[in-house]
Amino acid sequence: MKRQWWHGKCAYQIYPKSFCDSNGDGIGDLQGIISRLDYLKDLGADILWLSPIFVSPLADEGYDIADYYNIDPRFGTMDDMDELIAEAKKRDMYILMDLVVNHCSDEHEWFRRACEDPDGKYGRYFYIEDFKDGKGPCNWRSYFGGSVWEPLPGHPDKCYLHAFHKKQPDLNWENPKVREEVCQIINWWLDKGLAGFRIDAIMNIKKALPYRDYPADRGDGLSSIVNMLHDAKGVGTFLTEMRDRTFAPHGAFTVGEVFDADPEELPAFIGDDGYFSSMFDFAPAIFGHSGQGWMLHSGITPDDYRNCVFDTQARVKDIGFISNIIENHDEPRGVSRYIPEGEACPASKKLLATVYFLTKGLPWIYQGQELGMENLPVSCIEEVDDIASIDNYKVAVASGIPKEDALRAISIHGRDNARSPFQWTGGKNAGFTTGTPWLRVNPNYVSINREDEAADEDSVLNYYRRLTRLRKDPAYAETLVYGDFVPWLQDRPGVMAYLRRGEDKTILVMGNFQKEPQVIPLPETGDGSYTVLLNNYPDLKKVPEGLAMEGYQAVVLHLR
Ligand code: GLC
C-alpha cells in the first residue's frame, strides 16, 4: 500500500443542519461551523465531511440537490463556503463535500426540462419510460418504500425511476452527457480548494439493464432494488472515468459510501489505484438487518460487533485503508447500538471509542459521538422527520404490527437518532440555537454536553481528545497507523482485543466488553512488561493470569 498524506489523520462528519446555528433560525449553518473550527481542531479532527449544503428542497435533508453550484440559503452563502475552506486551510484542516450524483432533486432544472420535453436532451438525463397497463417496466422497490416508478409530471403515460424518494429522480449514467456534467461539478468544486468528497450511494449509478422483474420479497409484490444491484455489472467503468477526469488530477481525497461490493473487488475500489481513496466499513452497521424492514432486524452483541470488525480487517489487510465508523447520519448512535441496552455509561462509551478508533484504517467521528450522544427518544410518529422512518412505520402498521412496536423500531433504527441537534451546553436548546430547533433536542443534554465535558478531565470528550493525540503521537503513530492488525483472544466472549504490530513496536488494545469484571490473559511478548498509553479507569490490576479488568475497562499498552 502506498502511503498517503491522510493516513495519519482523523476525520469528522458534520451534519450541518444540526451542528451549530449562528443566526437563530433553528437550522445549523456554515457560519456556525466556522465558529466551531477551533473546537474541532482541538478535538484532533483534520478532515471534515459536510453532509449536503447545496440548494435543495430538503425532501431527503439535502440528499436531493436542486443546484450543484450554489449553497442553500438556509446554510449560508458561497462567501461563507469560501470562508470555511480558507479558515480550515489556516488550521491545516481539509473540507470534503457530499457528492450526491446517483440522483438529483425533482426541482433541479434538468428534471424540470425533462418534464417539459421527455424526448429532448434533458429527458435523456433520466430513466424515463412508458407506463404499460398502468405499470412501470419492472418491480423494483425504492429504498424508501413503494415502486421505483413514479408518473412523470405532466405525462400520465410516462414514468421515471427513483431508487430513493420520488423527489430524487435517478440520473442516467449511461448517457455520456450526464457523466460530463458530473465531472464538471466535481472539478468546479475541487478548483475552489475543496480537499475532496464523500461519495453518496455510488453503487446505485449502474442499473442492470434491460429492466426485469425479480422475485417479490414482500406482500407488495415488489423486489428490493438491492437484488438488481447484485446483477448490475460495470460500475467500475464509470468510476474509473470519474476518477481519471477529476479526483486523480486534483489529488483529491475521496471516501465512498459503498455497500454491496464483492470482497474480491476491494483492490479495485481502494487499492493503490482504486476508484476511491477509502470506503466506509458498514459491516457492523448492517449486521442483523433483514431485507424485510426494521421490524425484522435482529440486534447485535459486543461479540458480533467484534467479529464484524475483525472480518473486515482480515479482508482489507494491506490492500488499502478502510474508513472506520461507529455511526453516521443514517445510523443510530454507536453507543446505543453496540453497547447492550441499559449499559451505556462513560466507561462503556470510552471502551467502544478505544476499540474501534485504533483498528487499522482511517478513524471517523460523527458529530456528537465525541460527547457520547445517545439515540433520540420518540413518543409519536408526528415527531419524526426522517422519511425512511416514516416509510418503515407505514409498512409495519399496514402489515398489522401495533403502532407502539413500529415506533419502538424507529427509536432503535431511525435516522433522526443521530440527527438531533449537537449538545453544546446545558442551557436552552443545548446551546444549538437561540430560535426553535428544526428537530427536537435530546433531553439528556443537561448531562451530556460539550461545556460540561470540556471542564471534566474524565469526560468522554476528553477521552476522545486523548485518543486522537495518541494516534498522532510521533512515538506511536507509525505503529497505530501502519502496524499489522493481529486479533487477540478472538473467540473469547466479552473481549475485544488486538495487537497493532509495527516494525519496532507492538501495541495491545484490549477491552473487557461486558459489565462483569474478568481476568484477561496478556499475549506473551518481549519481557512481559508494558507501558500504559491509555486507560479508561484510574488503575490497572495485574494478576498472575493477566489483567484483572473492571466492567467495560479498556486499555492501550505498549508491550515491551
Ligand atoms: C445515502 C445518504 C442518505 C440518503 C441516501 C440518498 O445513503 O447517506 O442520507 O438518504 O444516500 O441520497
Side-chain angles (χ1 to χ4, degrees):
M1 182 178 63
K2 263 191 258 157
R3 295 198 169 196
Q4 305 290 350
W5 64 268
W6 50 270
H7 284 162
K9 306 283 185 201
C10 168
Y12 189 96
Q13 180 188 355
I14 295 176
Y15 194 69
K17 200 173 179 189
S18 303
F19 189 59
C20 180
D21 175 18
S22 73
N23 62 0
D25 64 358
I27 293 179
D29 47 47
L30 287 170
Q31 283 300 333
I33 298 174
I34 294 169
S35 73
R36 302 297 183 171
L37 281 178
D38 288 329
Y39 162 74
L40 296 171
K41 179 76 189 170
D42 179 60
L43 173 64
D46 310 292
I47 300 173
L48 308 179
W49 151 32
L50 273 55
S51 277
I53 47 168
F54 307 91
V55 173
S56 164
L58 305 190
D60 186 19
E61 296 303 358
Y63 285 89
D64 46 322
I65 297 175
D67 179 356
Y68 289 91
Y69 294 98
N70 276 300
I71 303 295
D72 194 286
R74 282 167 282 203
F75 295 121
T77 63
M78 193 58 84
D79 285 347
D80 295 331
M81 189 61 202
D82 289 335
E83 188 181 331
L84 173 64
I85 295 173
E87 287 299 318
K89 276 210 176 113
K90 272 191 208 158
R91 293 167 176 80
D92 207 14
M93 295 164 95
Y94 305 81
I95 302 292
L96 311 179
M97 289 176 98
D98 213 315
L99 186 68
V100 188
V101 285
N102 171 67
H103 44 266
C104 59
S105 162
D106 65 340
E107 297 183 29
H108 194 289
E109 195 194 343
W110 297 334
F111 192 71
R112 258 197 324 98
R113 294 177 68 171
C115 294
E116 280 162 14
D117 179 12
D119 298 320
K121 172 178 171 189
Y122 290 99
R124 289 190 287 278
Y125 273 37
F126 299 92
Y127 294 97
I128 295 177
E129 303 293 339
D130 291 332
F131 268 131
K132 291 204 183 81
D133 307 324
K135 281 170 66 182
C138 59
N139 73 341
W140 306 344
R141 182 187 307 105
S142 77
Y143 288 100
F144 297 148
S147 165
V148 295
W149 297 104
E150 184 70 19
L152 187 72
H155 304 269
D157 53 329
K158 290 189 186 301
C159 53
Y160 68 93
L161 183 150
H162 59 93
F164 292 87
H165 193 257
K166 63 179 183 208
K167 285 186 69 66
Q168 296 167 299
D170 278 46
L171 287 163
N172 184 352
W173 276 65
E174 305 295 336
N175 179 350
K177 291 213 168 59
V178 166
R179 304 203 298 275
E180 176 67 38
E181 297 270 15
V182 170
C183 289
Q184 241 179 56
I185 294 166
I186 300 173
N187 285 330
W188 190 85
W189 280 102
L190 291 177
D191 288 342
K192 246 181 175 314
L194 213 63
F197 289 94
R198 174 267 188 178
I199 302 174
D200 184 75
I202 196 64
M203 297 303 273
N204 290 278
I205 62 174
K206 187 76 195 181
K207 319 294 189 238
L209 299 173
Y211 305 112
R212 71 174 181 88
D213 283 353
Y214 289 83
D217 51 23
R218 286 195 205 170
D220 58 7
L222 302 175
S223 175
S224 162
I225 192 165
V226 173
N227 296 324
M228 173 283 284
L229 287 182
H230 291 318
D231 267 2
K233 298 286 171 259
V235 71
T237 313
F238 293 158
L239 299 180
T240 303
E241 178 188 350
M242 177 163 67
R243 176 198 63 201
D244 292 347
R245 294 178 62 184
T246 62
F247 309 136
H250 283 90
F253 170 85
T254 53
V255 55
E257 187 197 26
V258 178
F259 290 95
D260 309 311
D262 295 328
E264 52 289 0
E265 289 180 311
L266 268 175
F269 277 84
I270 56 167
D272 280 342
D273 297 308
Y275 312 133
F276 306 123
S277 312
S278 185
M279 62 193 245
F280 291 109
D281 176 23
F282 290 117
I286 59 177
F287 180 91
H289 284 195
S290 84
Q292 306 285 308
W294 292 348
M295 296 309 301
L296 296 178
H297 284 8
S298 66
I300 180 166
T301 66
D303 292 345
D304 297 327
Y305 171 73
R306 173 200 57 207
N307 296 343
C308 288
V309 172
F310 284 17
D311 282 355
T312 298
Q313 293 285 319
R315 244 180 303 125
V316 178
K317 285 200 206 71
D318 225 22
I319 293 173
F321 226 60
I322 195 86
S323 277
N324 296 313
I325 55 169
I326 57 169
E327 61 198 55
N328 67 23
H329 67 293
D330 292 330
E331 301 296 333
R333 289 287 181 177
V335 296
S336 301
R337 173 163 166 84
Y338 302 118
I339 297 170
E341 204 178 340
E343 296 180 19
C345 61
S348 57
K349 290 175 182 181
K350 292 174 196 169
L351 170 137
L352 181 61
T354 315
V355 294
Y356 103 93
F357 198 89
L358 298 175
T359 50
K360 194 166 183 171
L362 182 66
W364 288 75
I365 298 172
Y366 173 73
Q367 69 178 44
Q369 176 188 324
E370 73 274 26
L371 306 177
M373 277 181 68
E374 300 173 0
N375 277 355
L376 179 69
V378 52
S379 52
C380 60
I381 190 66
E382 289 70 33
E383 275 179 354
V384 177
D385 171 81
D386 163 32
I387 44 181
S389 296
I390 294 169
D391 166 53
N392 267 278
Y393 181 85
K394 282 190 194 147
V395 171
V397 172
S399 68
I401 287 165
K403 287 185 175 167
E404 310 76 69
D405 294 357
L407 217 50
R408 181 165 156 73
I410 293 180
S411 71
I412 299 171
H413 303 289
R415 303 195 300 177
D416 286 352
N417 277 317
R419 298 178 179 184
S420 68
F422 191 100
Q423 294 162 204
W424 292 103
T425 71
K428 191 166 176 238
N429 299 326
F432 160 71
T433 178
T434 53
T436 307
W438 72 277
L439 184 64
R440 63 200 185 284
V441 173
N442 194 316
N444 66 15
Y445 73 94
V446 284
S447 55
I448 300 177
N449 64 70
R450 182 253 170 152
E451 191 178 39
D452 292 353
E453 294 194 33
D456 172 4
E457 253 319 288
D458 285 333
S459 64
V460 175
L461 173 60
N462 277 315
Y463 191 82
Y464 267 96
R465 290 176 65 244
R466 288 199 273 279
L467 265 175
T468 60
R469 277 166 182 64
L470 174 61
R471 192 169 176 280
K472 293 181 198 180
D473 184 334
Y476 305 108
E478 174 67 25
T479 312
L480 290 174
V481 176
Y482 294 110
D484 289 341
F485 178 93
V486 185
W488 172 239
L489 303 175
Q490 180 160 11
D491 300 319
R492 186 168 159 138
V495 173
M496 182 158 172
Y498 52 85
L499 298 167
R500 298 302 310 278
R501 192 176 277 152
E503 304 244 303
D504 61 344
K505 283 195 186 71
T506 299
I507 293 173
L508 173 70
V509 179
M510 188 148 93
N512 176 22
F513 211 146
Q514 59 179 29
K515 65 175 187 300
E516 297 77 21
Q518 62 174 321
V519 174
I520 309 179
L522 286 168
E524 280 176 27
T525 50
D527 63 6
S529 69
Y530 52 77
T531 316
V532 181
L533 305 181
L534 207 61
N535 182 0
N536 66 346
Y537 271 77
D539 301 308
L540 180 59
K541 272 184 252 132
K542 175 121 175 51
V543 292
E545 303 78 33
L547 299 179
M549 295 185 76
E550 304 289 348
Y552 290 116
Q553 184 164 18
V555 290
V556 182
L557 308 179
H558 174 197
L559 303 181
R560 301 293 178 168

